[in-house]
Amino acid sequence: MNRMQGLAIVALCWLALPAPPAQAQSFDSVVGKVESRLGIRRMRMPGMGFLVNTVMFTKRPAGASSMKMAIFDEESGLRGVGSDEFQRAVRAELGSDWKPMLQVRSRRDGEAVTAYVRIANSTCEMLIATSEREEGTIIQMKLDGRKMMAWLADNTGLSHGKKIDIQ
Amino acid sequence: MMFRSVLLMLSAAGLLSAQQIKFPAAFERLAEKASETVNVTLDPQTLSFATKFLSDKKEEAEVKRIAQKLKGIYVRGFEFEKEGEYTDKDLSDIRSQLKGPEWSVIVSTRSKREISEIYLHRDGGLLILSAEPKELTIVNIMGNIDPSDLTNLSGQFGIPKVQGTPGKGARKDGKDEEE
């Protein structure tokens, strides 16, 4: 092995290493970029943050914590945007550390749900973008693995609806 | 020689993290026509994270035992309003990737209105292809899995419920081992 080959191997090994984690985007940063991209504004609901945090603190629904939420409705300007475009914008503005885990789309109802996960050490964050023709939400929360799988089973519809018969 | 070996190892490492088949580009067209679509992507990191939280109690322990050996789960499901929205060509685009020596079919059931097939990968992993007049589902489970484990995994990790499972130690020549 000559020196050039050695250097090439070192370079390839370096490329094969996982990229260092980029500065994690904050929820508000992601939502703000989606707003700018689509020309929409999230609903401003005084006390909403307090309400969500209170529910999260007392009930911890589905093992979730640290929930953040942004809601867009007709008045937010979403009517002219559409469900698909909303989903595309969220995906485009999320960093590469967010990986899509589940996408469900119902053309019949005009609804779409995409769940992204970001796993670092022993914590998992999930960001869920839901959209209809005139409404959209972006929710971010921390979940444990068990609840993440339960949520997945509940939302695929496959676990209780679809059956594959191989008999 | 060594240089080539390193290159091969690196490229193999890259391939390990991807699903075992490539979903055809035509599937995007199917998604446009489908009334409902489901797309589940559980890569090794997500799967490993989820598995860590499963308990060692009876039923969950079995799922945990199986899931710990898996490297990825990928599901694509389409539901259509009417029949005839997907074609034999769409199925053959998948089947053309499921050929020997890497893949062997272990289950193939056909009725007038339904096709169910299970393929085993020689390096571990399986693929389920289920086609009904208004539904098409493809499940790729990567890693060390025995077909009989499907019963425990069905309904978990976004995998549809599977009724009837080939026996433990199913042979790769298309027939189950005799008990």
Side-chain angles (χ1 to χ4, degrees), chain A residues 27 48-49 52-53 55-56 61-62 64-69 126 128 138-143:
Chain A
F27 177 77
M48 183 67 179
V52 168
N53 286 329
V55 170
M56 295 303 295
S65 62
S66 305
M67 185 184 278
K68 292 162 187 161
M69 182 161 53
M126 185 184 278
I128 305 166
I138 303 175
I139 301 168
Q140 185 177 324
M141 67 189 100
K142 283 183 181 166
L143 281 179

Side-chain angles (χ1 to χ4, degrees), chain A residues 38 72 78 82-90 130-131 137-138:
Chain A
L38 298 176
F72 301 88
L78 203 60
S83 177
D84 288 350
E85 191 59 33
F86 181 78
Q87 293 290 342
R88 273 194 289 271
V90 173
T130 68
S131 54
T137 56
I138 303 175

